Amino acid sequence: MFDAIVIGGSFAGLSAALQLARARQNVLVIDAGLPRNRFADEAHGFLGQDGRAPAAIMRDARHQLCRYPTAEILSGQVLGAQAVAGGFSLRLAGGGERPARRLILATGVADELPTVPGVRERWGSTVLHCPYCHGYEVRDQPLGVLAAHPMSPHQALLIPDWGPTTYFTQGEYDPEPTELLAFEARGVTVERTPVVELLGDAPALDGVRLADGRIVQVAALFTAPRTKPASPLAELLGCEHEDGPTGPYVKIDSWGATSVSGIWAAGDAATPMHNATLASAAGVLAGIGAHQAGVRSVTGE
């Protein structure tokens, strides 16, 4: 039986596993190989890794983790999990089971992109979700914000620091009067006619076509899509969730512990704030928390 199994091998999962490996715990990372950041060519704002491809960062991290003799990485998908005597048992897609005393869920979220034609093929390139991650690379160009939920006006207020901004309400998410005053102060243009198509040779973006036929020039479009858990495991295991501005996430304490004893969660699956650095830091906390809980279980504290 492993001391811990980490489900998910991106920034949060690998960071958690590294702490456990350094604590000389037998830890297994099970990774389906579908990280949320696979659509981005570069990661930004990550200290020491700025401008590197996420795949390259994770490749190095996997290599560093596997130098520890008590760490393993398994490529595969976890289909089910259940509590058993002394811990948990995971059922794998390729058959077989893996037992562990403790679990760390770093399973991430999946983005539910707006259905406007042209969005999906530009996702991670010129259709972006985080200005702190990608805004600098599209600076000083006409930018847009495609509304997707009631928090979209807040995003539109941020973007002018990177370029002149148009907020597309999509006919649904009109700014409140106080937000309109803030838009005016920030120089944000409000366009209430819905965007029906993105234009240009993807992944480049030349502009957007509106429902009335007009074309508005934009070089990049920001949107904060709704999110859903990429894996049903947290729900299957009975972990409580909270509602965030873009979708549900696993409820955790300050060390990443979920509502279910023996289970921790980290990364995008367990926070409304989605960012590579924050995910890595959350993984560190969850890994340490899981180790210290194991010590307490042995000492009877």
Side-chain angles (χ1 to χ4, degrees), residues 246-264:
T246 65
Y249 60 95
V250 181
K251 182 179 180 179
I252 58 173
D253 70 7
S254 58
W255 287 97
T258 72
S259 60
V260 177
S261 179
I263 302 178
W264 284 255

Side-chain angles (χ1 to χ4, degrees), residues 172-197:
E172 291 188 72
Y173 303 105
D174 207 61
E176 299 291 335
T178 55
E179 291 171 331
L180 284 172
L181 290 175
F183 275 25
E184 184 177 354
R186 294 283 282 160
V188 177
T189 300
V190 177
E191 178 54 70
R192 294 178 172 83
T193 303
V195 174
V196 296
E197 183 185 8

Side-chain angles (χ1 to χ4, degrees), residues 11-12 45-46 266-268 271-285:
F11 295 134
F46 196 159
D268 290 358
T271 178
M273 298 288 290
H274 301 158
N275 174 280
T277 304
L278 296 177
S280 182
V284 170
L285 289 172

